Amino acid sequence: MKELVIIAVGAALVNNVVLSQFLGLCPFLGVSKKIGTAAGMGTAVIFVLTLSSFGTGLIYKYILVKTGMEYLKTIVFILVIAALVQIVEMFLKKGLPSLYRALGVYLPLITTNCAVLGVAIINVQKNYSVLEGTVNGFASAVGFTLSIVLMAGLREKMEYNDVPRSFQGMPIVLLTAMLMSIAFCGFAGII
């Protein structure tokens, strides 16, 4: 149990996929304009990343390793992630059309989100069990959601600030992301 807590805290805060490992920057910068949209993207990433970590862990341990085809892991992982993203897309299109429209192109791009594939590969590289990999995937997604919602909150506040002209737009967003990254370095002493 202690190991799982350490993995979860490490994945969510210390080794945050966005602010520490710089994975998934496209949706982090592209969908973090409004808190509602960012929370919706974070929820979709939590679903996809958790289930993909579970599914890829099972497939890798019990099919690819047993048959000696570990070299196919990247292709198989992408197929699993794409299937999960299609499920999320169909659900949002039918159940939450406003969120579906707000996420726009970023929703199908979860398939190519390097954070999702990166966590699946990290699970294999660290030789996590299926349970440890699933916990790592869930906690990584929670860390992604935390960082994207925090960024959205800051960007909403910055809309009403008097930002110097040369820093308006993406420069102030990147500076804010840098400061958030430095702040998350403070969690390094936790574990």
Side-chain angles (χ1 to χ4, degrees):
M1 185 67 182
K2 183 180 173 185
E3 286 292 322
L4 294 178
V5 172
I6 290 172
I7 289 172
V9 170
L13 298 175
V14 177
N15 298 318
N16 186 292
V17 289
V18 175
L19 299 173
S20 178
Q21 300 182 32
F22 309 112
L23 297 172
L25 289 178
C26 295
F28 176 71
L29 296 175
V31 186
S32 61
K33 292 179 182 170
K34 301 287 179 199
I35 291 176
T37 309
M41 174 60 91
T43 304
V45 169
I46 287 173
F47 176 80
V48 171
L49 198 46
T50 304
L51 288 183
S52 70
S53 293
F54 176 73
T56 56
L58 280 178
I59 291 171
Y60 184 78
K61 293 256 186 225
Y62 298 110
I63 296 175
L64 295 180
V65 171
K66 298 276 185 200
T67 58
M69 295 191 296
E70 298 95 344
Y71 59 90
L72 291 176
K73 69 180 178 237
T74 304
I75 294 171
V76 171
F77 290 178
I78 289 173
L79 290 175
V80 170
I81 292 165
L84 290 170
V85 170
Q86 288 301 310
I87 292 170
V88 170
E89 193 171 351
M90 287 188 297
F91 172 76
L92 288 181
K93 191 174 185 179
K94 194 75 168 175
L96 299 167
S98 60
L99 180 60
Y100 175 78
R101 283 189 299 276
L103 292 176
V105 71
Y106 290 101
L107 185 58
L109 285 179
I110 292 175
T111 305
T112 58
N113 185 340
C114 55
V116 180
L117 180 60
V119 169
I121 291 175
I122 287 169
N123 289 339
V124 169
Q125 288 175 342
K126 290 190 174 182
N127 202 19
Y128 284 152
S129 68
V130 175
L131 177 62
E132 290 171 338
T134 304
V135 168
N136 186 47
F138 175 75
S140 296
V142 168
F144 176 87
T145 303
L146 177 68
S147 59
I148 196 171
V149 168
L150 286 173
M151 176 58 95
L154 291 171
R155 287 180 78 172
E156 282 187 1
K157 291 285 185 192
M158 283 190 292
E159 279 185 25
Y160 305 107
N161 289 348
D162 188 22
V163 178
R165 187 173 179 176
S166 60
F167 285 102
Q168 290 179 356
M170 198 49 72
I172 192 70
V173 173
L174 292 174
L175 283 172
T176 304
M178 178 196 69
L179 292 173
M180 285 178 63
S181 181
I182 291 171
F184 268 68
C185 285
F187 292 119
I190 290 178
I191 56 173

